[in-house]
Amino acid sequence: MQYLPVCLKLRNTPVLLVGAGSIATRKARLLLRAGSDLTVVAPEITDELKQLLASHGGTWQPQVYRETDLHGRYLVIAATPDAAINAQVSAQAQSLNIPVNVVDAPELCTFIFPSIVDRDPLIVAISSSGTSPVLARQLRHRLDAMLPAAYGRLAEYAGGLRSRVKRAIPEEGPRRLFWERMLGGAVGEQVLAGREARANELLDEMLEDTEGLSCGEVYLVGAGPGDPDLMTFKAARLLQSADVVLYDRLVARPILEMARRDADRIYVGKRRDDHAVPQGEINQLLVDLALEGKRVVRLKGGDPFVFGRGGEEIELLARHRIPFQVVPGITAGNAAACYAGIPLTHRDHAQSVRFVTGHLKDGSTNLDWSTFQSESETLVFYMGLIGLPVICKQLQVHGRRADTPVALVERATLSEQRVITGTLATMADIVTREQPKAPTLIIVGNVVSLHEQLSWFGEH
């Protein structure tokens, strides 16, 4: 992160703007809206800027820039067409430890202006760290369309309640939960609709009944196969509301970074024969944290209910009557097949698909191989890389043709995804040569023959 986003309070603060063209006028408009005590230094000035200064009490000094103009300033912006003057302003401001921005010259800036979505007092800022202002503006336009104008009214309404809510709910955890339920529920909807009287009635009812806030809640969230863009909106929203996040090794780092910055993160990942935290302890930890009043996200790669042991975790939660939600995620079988250009079903090749775990609870591959012999069925093996030689051998022993196509999808949906293809007869030797690493998914069936024709992700 090259820049730390902050919000500056500029009301009645002395700010210097060097330059008075169209770009400088846009900067002046923002600075004056923020209530700054703005001084513009320039030999000439636009009519619009002159009117802005007159209406907001700013000052124009009709002269060329001098170093003494910096004295007593809190913030400096250089927006002249002369690169030498802009560089001079930057160097002199930095020598005095005054934050300085030079328009269209990131290398001369100690701060930059973000693109802003203004729902005062709610402000959303988007920055590309100076690398692509056009991209930041495009994102601003999208957010501008997504956020109703009434969000400013909702932010102002919430601001007026802070002292009252703090007195009614002294503990931070329950209070945060109250705010989320209030802003995202009926009270918030009434404020957005302009019906504050009704909102106040509902608010009074919520504050009279805060007992339910003492117990936390657990969210079993499917993080999907790795690409953050494949998470659901609900998964992202709950992740950002969590007090504690329990995550495993299959959760990509960018997804974990979507959690609230002050949330506790607890690694409970497991590898084959190496369980950092035994499953029973994970189950109990979810209960203990919820009983402390925490909102807990159990973040799982793929889908919680597809070889994710989510069922075991919610059994204990239900036994202790702890509220929970399960948020499905895109399971690795679907995602790996899609990103590898392998349709799991196809009218000409496969009319069914079966998801199979590559090893059982005791680490074996003790499967009923005789049921896997239909040529019109695709088999998808999870966690089967170690047992792949056994899988290939047993499928052939029980009737599958030796030339049945097989694909291994390594690190599915990520930039380093790799697809390795072969057959039941050749794949074990190919794996020995190529040395793929977990997580790797195995797809067996005639649909794999479509990979070269339909693949689109990465290089093959």
Side-chain angles (χ1 to χ4, degrees):
M1 187 167 64
Q2 299 180 44
Y3 292 89
L4 177 67
V6 297
C7 295
L8 296 175
K9 186 176 183 180
L10 294 183
R11 189 160 299 280
N12 300 322
T13 299
V15 176
L16 177 67
L17 174 60
V18 181
S22 59
I23 295 176
T25 300
R26 292 200 297 270
K27 301 299 183 187
R29 194 179 299 120
L30 284 174
L31 295 166
L32 291 169
R33 279 204 64 189
S36 69
D37 178 9
L38 181 63
T39 298
V40 176
V41 171
E44 297 179 351
I45 193 171
T46 65
D47 290 339
E48 182 183 358
L49 183 51
K50 186 181 296 184
Q51 293 173 2
L52 279 171
L53 294 173
S55 61
H56 289 83
T59 303
W60 171 38
Q61 294 181 359
Q63 62 187 44
V64 296
Y65 163 76
R66 299 171 301 188
E67 185 174 1
T68 54
D69 294 326
L70 296 172
H71 294 168
R73 307 299 178 184
Y74 180 77
L75 208 68
V76 177
I77 297 90
T80 79
D82 190 320
I85 292 178
N86 290 342
Q88 180 186 1
V89 173
S90 174
Q92 293 172 346
Q94 291 187 56
S95 70
L96 296 172
N97 292 320
I98 302 173
V100 60
N101 172 270
V102 179
V103 174
D104 290 334
E107 69 280 3
L108 299 179
C109 298
T110 61
F111 77 94
I112 56 179
F113 283 91
S115 288
I116 293 173
V117 178
D118 188 354
R119 300 291 185 269
D120 189 45
L122 179 68
I123 304 294
V124 181
I126 307 103
S127 172
S128 66
S129 299
T131 59
S132 180
V134 172
L135 176 60
R137 284 198 297 272
Q138 288 179 346
L139 290 175
R140 182 196 69 196
H141 293 324
R142 293 183 185 181
L143 290 174
D144 215 359
M146 291 170 57
L147 295 177
Y151 263 71
R153 181 165 61 240
L154 180 58
E156 193 167 5
Y157 179 82
L161 297 173
R162 293 186 65 180
S163 297
R164 181 185 173 190
V165 172
K166 192 171 185 177
R167 288 193 302 270
I169 311 173
E171 296 182 17
E172 181 182 358
R175 187 167 64 247
R176 187 184 295 121
L177 184 57
F178 168 85
W179 280 118
E180 290 189 354
R181 291 179 179 175
M182 187 276 279
L183 291 171
V187 175
E189 291 297 330
Q190 294 299 317
V191 174
L192 290 174
R195 296 189 287 266
E196 290 195 15
R198 177 56 179 156
N200 290 333
E201 293 174 3
L202 295 172
L203 177 73
D204 291 340
E205 294 176 8
M206 287 189 69
L207 289 174
E208 288 173 5
D209 181 20
T210 59
E211 292 184 4
L213 300 174
S214 60
C215 180
E217 190 169 2
V218 176
Y219 314 123
L220 270 66
V221 173
D227 184 346
D229 287 346
L230 296 180
M231 285 185 68
T232 65
F233 287 124
K234 186 173 184 179
R237 176 171 57 82
L238 292 179
L239 180 56
Q240 290 164 5
S241 73
D243 300 307
V244 185
V245 179
L246 277 63
Y247 65 99
D248 62 40
R249 71 182 182 90
L250 296 179
V251 175
R253 177 60 54 179
I255 292 176
L256 189 61
E257 291 300 320
M258 295 170 66
R260 235 179 45 224
R261 294 195 181 278
D262 60 340
D264 294 329
R265 294 163 170 80
I266 302 175
Y267 175 68
V268 293
K270 298 186 285 291
R271 289 181 172 85
R272 184 182 179 94
D273 300 325
D274 179 18
H275 290 201
V277 181
Q279 186 63 47
E281 292 185 20
I282 296 174
N283 301 347
Q284 188 60 50
L285 185 57
L286 293 174
V287 171
D288 294 343
L289 290 169
L291 291 176
E292 292 174 11
K294 308 283 189 181
R295 284 160 305 161
V296 186
V297 161
R298 174 65 172 105
L299 193 59
K300 294 173 171 289
D303 181 279
F305 281 5
V306 180
F307 306 125
R309 305 188 73 171
E312 300 172 43
E313 293 171 349
I314 64 172
E315 281 179 352
L316 192 61
L317 295 171
R319 200 178 308 149
H320 286 79
R321 304 183 65 82
I322 291 172
F324 65 84
Q325 297 183 46
V326 180
V327 182
I330 296 178
T331 188
N334 286 337
C338 287
Y339 275 55
I342 302 173
L344 293 178
T345 60
H346 188 287
R347 181 161 47 181
D348 297 331
H349 299 280
Q351 286 72 56
S352 64
V353 60
R354 189 186 306 203
F355 292 165
V356 187
T357 179
H359 69 88
L360 301 182
K361 192 172 184 180
D362 61 0
S364 70
T365 51
N366 185 23
L367 299 171
D368 186 358
W369 301 104
S370 63
T371 65
F372 298 156
Q373 300 312 306
S374 173
E375 296 290 338
S376 62
E377 181 173 72
T378 304
L379 302 177
V380 180
F381 288 89
Y382 290 65
M383 301 168 287
L385 187 57
I386 298 296
L388 182 133
V390 175
I391 292 171
C392 291
K393 178 181 178 180
Q394 290 297 328
L395 287 174
Q396 293 178 78
V397 166
H398 287 82
R400 274 281 176 115
R401 297 190 334 267
D403 62 353
T404 299
V406 180
L408 270 63
V409 186
E410 179 184 9
R411 306 284 292 172
T413 78
L414 301 177
S415 59
E416 58 268 35
Q417 172 178 304
R418 182 167 60 142
V419 181
I420 303 170
T421 58
T423 66
L424 286 178
T426 63
M427 185 53 79
D429 290 338
I430 293 173
V431 165
T432 300
R433 182 179 71 247
E434 297 293 336
Q435 293 292 303
K437 305 297 182 185
T440 293
L441 203 85
I442 304 169
I443 304 175
V444 179
N446 294 329
V447 291
V448 173
S449 63
L450 299 172
H451 160 67
E452 293 294 338
Q453 176 185 349
L454 303 179
S455 62
W456 59 272
F457 184 84
E459 298 179 357
H460 306 288

